[in-house]
Amino acid sequence: MTEIAVTVRDLVAFCHRRGDIDHRFTPSPTAAQGIEGHQRIYRRRPESYRREFPVEYRRQFGDISLLVRGRADGYDPDIGLVEEIKTCRVDPEDIPATISQLHMAQAKTYAAIIARAEDVDALKVRLSWLDIDRDEETRIDETCTRGELDVFLEETLRDFASWLTLLARSRRRRDVSLAGLAFPHGEFRPGQRDIAELVYKCVDQGGELMVEAPTGIGKTAAAMYPALRALERGKHEGVVFATARTVGRRAAEECLQLLADAGLEMPWLSLTAKDSICFSPGKACHAQDCPYADGYYDRLGDALRAAVSHGALSRAGIEDIAREHSVCPYQLADDLLPWVDMVVADLHYLYSLYPRLGLLAQQEGRRFTVLLDEAHNLPERARGMYSAALAKSQLMRVKKGAAKPVRRALERLNRCLLALQKEQWAEEDCDYRQTLPDKLEFTLLDFVAATGEQLAEEPALFQRVPEHGDFYFKVLHWLRVSEHWGDDFVFELQRGAGEQGLMLSLNCLDPSRLLAGGHDRLHASVAFSATLSPAYWMRQMLGFGDDAVCRRLDSPFEPDQLDVQLVSTVDTRYSARAGSLNSLAEHIQRWLESTEGNCIVYFSSYAYMRDALALIDIGARSLWQQEPGLDHSAREALLTDFTEKRDLVAFCILGGVFGEGIDLPGDQLRGVAVVGVGLPQVGRERERLRAWYQQKYGQGFEYAYLYPGMQKVDQALGRVVRTAQDQGRALLVDARYSWKQYRDLLPPWWKYHD
């Protein structure tokens, strides 16, 4: 017997969604407002009304057991009412019939299951639209007998039956292939079995795990293999491989291909950003502007069947299927999420303030496990995702050409900003506050509502006026961030240059609280990296609980595979750089002369790198120098040079795209030099972080500067030795390498000498 679970939402979407892609009628700009809208309606209902009423229905289809589950927004047994609630910002009469019909079908499905479970003869089925700006309800009611609801449910399940058969066949193939699946690299390398056992135990117990292991040990395969084996054994229902960089996604896809070569048969999906995969760049996601949005849902069923049958869905696979069926590739990938067993995705999909995968797990009760690749990147990335900024100058530019309702809303917003400018500030050019002005939020909501009404009339508005769309989405993000306001945020005002220079910022100081909420949505969380030390610091930064399992594994490499020289006679601090520049250049040149093969020299800034490079003679070797704004093609060109050349010296920025995540085994890279200790630049924002962490943990300098800086150094050191056969050299230049607090943070698996 094969058991497949599906939510009412996904069942109805598959069977009853029709027509075009149309994002103009998104219910609410923020999740909190949608929830608050539901609460408004709940307060108006009688005491007998049961909110978020759970439903469950099992049905056999031959050797397939289907479990349908979900929560109806409301059920009132006293009056025989089942209600589906939707919030909106436009007149419900303007909402396309296909959307209302979809939501009514969802309400009827809940009603049919409730009628059977509660043994009632008839129910009133209601779709309620709440205009959250006008606080007005619009209701669509249908009274249905038990027989009519039974027929509706049976017809829905009949439409779903062929898709269900395909899913069950895919599930059986997956489980058979996983039961006999060997580790893709044959034997486990030293350390890999330890990782695999830790990961499987974490999935089995639904816990949190943090694993630090040397770069090159093969953490991706060691984590992915046990997580997939746990699928066949019912320990969880889906795996998400989350990564911050393209190279991490590529490594995951390559590992999945190796597993496929070893016999794995399973549908998996790799998500690509909308801007990258769009077939109609510059067009609105609407039938009037994009042919791939026109009638999209009428063609979606066939595209989904083709995709699941295809199995491996990298970007190229999604694009091929989307072109074959004339559907939007980005939306197709999104609609595939409930039906695939594994997803490779950017961190954004799990941990942002609108996490598609996170909400899928939360709303549908699906037990996802996340494999968090290069987990040390998450805290800083999250700090950016949980911060927002608005510029008065952009507001004024949008206002000039805006339609009258939007212009009036922007004028009210501008008056609010002018009032903030006139208030007394702590400093002449900036001010920090721990509270948000209520009036600001109200004026921002006015602008969102006015823009929403214009979008309903003009779907291509943002294509015609891109800056309006850019400002609109910044306002939406601001509102989402403000919902999560707490003492780990700060409201910042900066005057800037000129009359319109005012800049407002909501800055997240510590993302750990919100990251913890992201982990709570998941069944299990596994974080791995070569740089997760000190463990107590990274555990706190990642938002893991006190009971999280933290392990640092021994290195499988010999200590003498990397010869690490410390030069502690050169002071690289900003104030001393001019006086020590000649000595620095001499040390780097001597090291390069004694180090054969390709090398990378890392600096903390472009200016420092250029000053030193002017004094260094690399002789006949090839030189490559990183420049600001490096594009993807230039990055790939350098990586190609590393594979083809053996006399290359690259001067790069520490912590940049070449500071981690690149895999250059063997003779592709023989040495790295690191100038400095990687500390973030001292500035207003970084000092705010230092003060926050000093207040919370009593270690402001360590949390804001020391630990993040040395993490970059350790990542750079990890570029050289990638396999058991690799040999290389490293040079670390800074007076602080003679200080214990810095030396203790260097990777313990190498020997260091002066």
Side-chain angles (χ1 to χ4, degrees):
M1 181 68 68
T2 301
E3 180 170 302
I4 293 180
V6 63
T7 66
V8 170
R9 182 196 301 265
D10 290 333
L11 172 67
V12 170
F14 185 89
C15 298
H16 295 283
R17 192 165 42 182
R18 299 290 183 269
D20 312 326
I21 296 174
D22 194 341
H23 296 307
R24 294 175 298 166
F25 304 99
T26 301
S28 300
T30 71
Q33 289 169 350
I35 294 171
E36 194 276 330
H38 278 66
Q39 296 302 320
R40 282 192 228 171
I41 288 186
Y42 289 153
R43 287 192 291 270
R44 299 168 187 172
R45 300 300 183 252
E47 291 185 6
S48 56
Y49 189 92
R50 303 180 189 177
R51 61 185 68 179
E52 297 183 2
F53 186 76
V55 303
E56 187 172 292
Y57 175 66
R58 289 186 178 273
R59 172 70 182 275
Q60 299 295 125
F61 291 85
D63 61 349
I64 304 170
S65 175
L66 174 66
L67 171 62
V68 182
R69 61 193 180 193
R71 288 181 177 273
D73 285 335
Y75 169 52
D76 190 333
D78 286 6
I79 61 174
L81 171 71
V82 174
E83 184 173 31
E84 179 71 13
I85 302 168
K86 299 296 179 184
T87 57
C88 62
R89 307 195 70 97
V90 298
D91 188 335
E93 292 185 0
D94 294 333
I95 295 174
T98 52
I99 294 178
S100 291
Q101 289 165 2
L102 173 67
H103 297 323
M104 179 57 83
Q106 189 172 339
K108 283 186 177 181
T109 304
Y110 285 126
I113 297 173
I114 290 171
R116 291 189 176 197
E118 302 294 312
D119 192 23
V120 296
D121 295 331
L123 286 169
K124 179 182 287 187
V125 183
R126 172 176 293 167
L127 171 61
S128 293
W129 288 100
L130 175 67
D131 185 323
I132 59 175
D133 295 318
R134 298 180 178 85
D135 195 29
E136 295 177 353
E137 284 186 53
T138 300
R139 300 173 180 176
I140 302 174
D141 288 341
E142 277 190 47
T143 298
C144 301
T145 65
R146 166 81 170 271
E148 291 170 336
L149 291 172
D150 282 342
V151 169
F152 179 83
L153 181 59
E154 288 302 312
E155 290 178 347
T156 298
L157 293 175
R158 186 172 63 245
D159 290 344
F160 192 67
S162 63
W163 176 242
L164 180 64
T165 301
L166 179 62
L167 291 178
R169 189 183 306 128
S170 174
R171 177 72 55 81
R172 285 191 287 267
R173 284 199 304 266
R174 183 202 75 181
D175 288 348
V176 169
S177 69
L178 283 171
L181 187 66
F183 188 64
H185 297 294
E187 296 296 323
F188 284 101
R189 300 178 196 168
Q192 284 186 316
R193 181 176 293 278
D194 295 327
I195 296 174
E197 290 176 353
L198 286 166
V199 170
Y200 189 86
K201 188 173 182 179
C202 178
V203 174
D204 182 50
Q205 297 179 355
E208 295 176 337
L209 170 66
M210 194 174 79
V211 178
E212 182 182 60
T215 298
I217 196 175
K219 293 185 288 294
T220 296
M224 188 181 295
Y225 177 72
L228 293 178
R229 291 297 303 268
L231 281 173
E232 180 260 331
R233 298 171 186 177
K235 302 297 184 181
H236 55 181
E237 297 169 304
V239 180
V240 180
F241 190 95
T243 179
R245 297 176 182 267
T246 303
V247 67
R249 182 180 69 189
R250 187 179 303 153
E253 292 174 354
E254 290 172 354
C255 186
L256 283 165
Q257 184 57 55
L258 285 174
L259 288 164
D261 295 341
L264 175 65
E265 294 186 66
M266 184 187 76
W268 60 267
L269 170 66
S270 185
L271 294 175
T272 304
K274 184 175 183 179
D275 291 344
S276 300
I277 203 172
C278 178
F279 285 170
S280 301
K283 301 287 187 180
C285 297
H286 188 271
Q288 296 176 11
D289 215 28
C290 175
Y292 299 99
D294 185 13
Y296 168 86
Y297 291 110
D298 299 328
R299 300 185 296 276
L300 176 60
D302 290 339
L304 289 176
R305 291 180 178 89
V308 168
S309 299
H310 188 276
L313 295 167
S314 63
R315 172 177 174 172
I318 284 290
E319 289 179 337
D320 289 345
I321 292 169
R323 290 192 188 281
E324 180 183 353
H325 295 274
S326 297
V327 295
C328 168
Y330 177 78
Q331 189 64 47
L332 172 62
D334 187 77
D335 287 321
L336 274 164
L337 290 177
W339 314 115
V340 295
D341 298 313
M342 179 164 182
V343 180
V344 180
D346 184 82
L347 298 171
H348 172 89
Y349 289 90
L350 275 172
Y351 296 107
S352 74
L353 297 179
Y354 16 88
R356 179 65 175 95
L357 285 166
L359 293 176
L360 192 69
Q362 184 179 34
Q363 295 172 352
E364 304 187 359
R366 192 172 178 189
R367 295 177 298 148
F368 277 111
T369 290
V370 61
L371 304 179
L372 185 54
D373 179 44
E374 300 292 359
H376 63 277
N377 286 302
L378 178 57
E380 196 63 34
R381 176 75 179 279
R383 187 176 285 116
M385 289 190 295
Y386 304 153
S387 298
L390 296 174
K392 188 173 185 294
S393 58
Q394 187 175 20
L395 179 157
M396 300 305 290
R397 290 194 297 270
V398 173
K399 185 169 79 74
K400 283 183 180 179
K404 185 177 292 185
V406 174
R407 188 168 63 250
R408 285 198 296 264
L410 288 172
E411 287 170 351
R412 290 191 291 271
L413 176 57
N414 186 46
R415 287 195 294 271
C416 181
L417 299 188
L418 288 172
L420 289 173
Q421 281 182 293
K422 293 177 181 178
E423 293 176 1
Q424 184 175 355
W425 288 19
E427 300 178 31
E428 176 60 29
D429 63 336
C430 68
D431 192 28
Y432 294 95
R433 305 182 183 185
Q434 293 301 321
T435 58
L436 292 175
D438 291 337
K439 189 174 182 180
L440 175 62
E441 181 174 358
F442 296 146
T443 55
L444 291 172
L445 288 170
D446 285 346
F447 165 71
V448 168
T451 298
E453 291 178 356
Q454 188 175 354
L455 275 173
E457 299 175 1
E458 185 184 353
L461 170 64
F462 295 158
Q463 283 63 45
R464 181 175 63 81
V465 191
E467 191 154 37
H468 188 162
D470 182 56
F471 187 67
Y472 173 78
F473 288 114
K474 286 180 178 178
V475 169
L476 288 185
H477 183 62
W478 178 286
L479 291 168
R480 289 187 177 103
V481 171
S482 67
E483 292 174 4
H484 301 277
W485 180 263
D487 61 0
D488 44 7
F489 282 80
V490 65
F491 176 39
E492 179 180 352
L493 301 94
Q494 295 185 49
R495 293 200 188 277
E499 293 182 0
Q500 311 302 336
L502 179 66
M503 175 70 74
L504 309 182
S505 302
L506 293 181
N507 292 329
C508 176
L509 300 173
D510 183 354
S512 60
R513 172 173 60 90
L514 298 184
L515 287 176
H519 299 312
D520 288 344
R521 301 186 192 106
L522 303 169
H523 170 70
S525 298
V526 177
F528 52 95
S529 170
T531 51
L532 295 175
S533 292
Y536 68 85
W537 167 63
M538 279 307 304
R539 180 185 59 76
Q540 291 166 344
M541 294 300 96
L542 289 171
F544 279 2
D546 293 341
D547 57 350
V549 176
C550 302
R551 293 285 186 273
R552 172 186 258 184
L553 302 186
D554 294 333
S555 172
F557 307 121
E558 295 299 324
D560 60 0
Q561 284 184 250
L562 186 67
D563 175 63
V564 186
Q565 178 186 355
L566 302 178
V567 175
S568 56
T569 57
V570 177
D571 191 345
T572 72
R573 288 175 294 186
Y574 185 80
S575 59
R577 287 178 184 175
S580 64
L581 190 61
N582 286 328
S583 177
L584 170 66
E586 290 172 4
H587 279 288
I588 293 176
Q589 183 153 340
R590 283 200 300 269
W591 180 79
L592 286 173
E593 290 171 350
S594 63
T595 305
E596 297 180 352
N598 295 339
C599 297
I600 299 178
V601 183
Y602 293 102
F603 283 81
S604 58
S605 72
Y606 289 101
Y608 197 16
M609 179 173 67
R610 286 192 292 266
D611 290 344
L613 188 54
L615 301 175
I616 298 172
D617 180 7
I618 67 166
R621 298 170 80 165
S622 300
L623 172 67
W624 187 90
Q625 181 180 351
Q626 185 175 346
E627 297 290 349
L630 186 76
D631 61 20
H632 180 73
S633 60
R635 178 184 181 280
E636 292 300 312
L638 175 60
L639 296 179
T640 300
D641 283 348
F642 273 113
T643 63
E644 297 176 351
K645 297 180 178 181
R646 294 297 176 262
D647 65 347
L648 178 64
V649 179
F651 281 72
C652 299
I653 298 300
L654 185 65
V657 293
F658 299 110
E660 62 175 89
I662 56 173
D663 190 13
L664 301 169
D667 290 338
Q668 294 183 43
L669 184 64
R670 297 298 300 276
V672 296
V674 179
V675 179
V677 290
L679 302 192
Q681 185 175 355
V682 177
R684 185 181 292 162
E685 290 188 13
R686 186 58 55 168
E687 283 296 286
R688 293 288 300 180
L689 290 180
R690 183 188 60 77
W692 160 259
Y693 288 124
Q694 183 64 34
Q695 178 186 13
K696 187 171 184 180
Y697 299 115
Q699 291 184 281
F701 172 74
E702 289 82 357
Y703 277 49
Y705 290 99
L706 177 59
Y707 298 157
M710 289 300 293
Q711 215 171 45
K712 297 175 187 177
V713 175
D714 294 353
Q715 279 289 326
L717 283 176
R719 297 311 96 207
V720 184
V721 176
R722 313 289 294 185
T723 72
Q725 291 74 43
D726 289 351
Q727 293 281 340
R729 302 186 69 209
L731 176 70
L732 303 180
V733 185
D734 193 283
R736 287 164 286 190
Y737 286 120
S738 65
W739 302 1
K740 186 178 186 301
Q741 67 179 143
Y742 289 86
R743 288 284 287 267
D744 287 349
L745 292 172
L746 290 170
W749 27 80
W750 311 124
K751 289 183 179 179
Y752 303 89
H753 63 88
D754 295 322

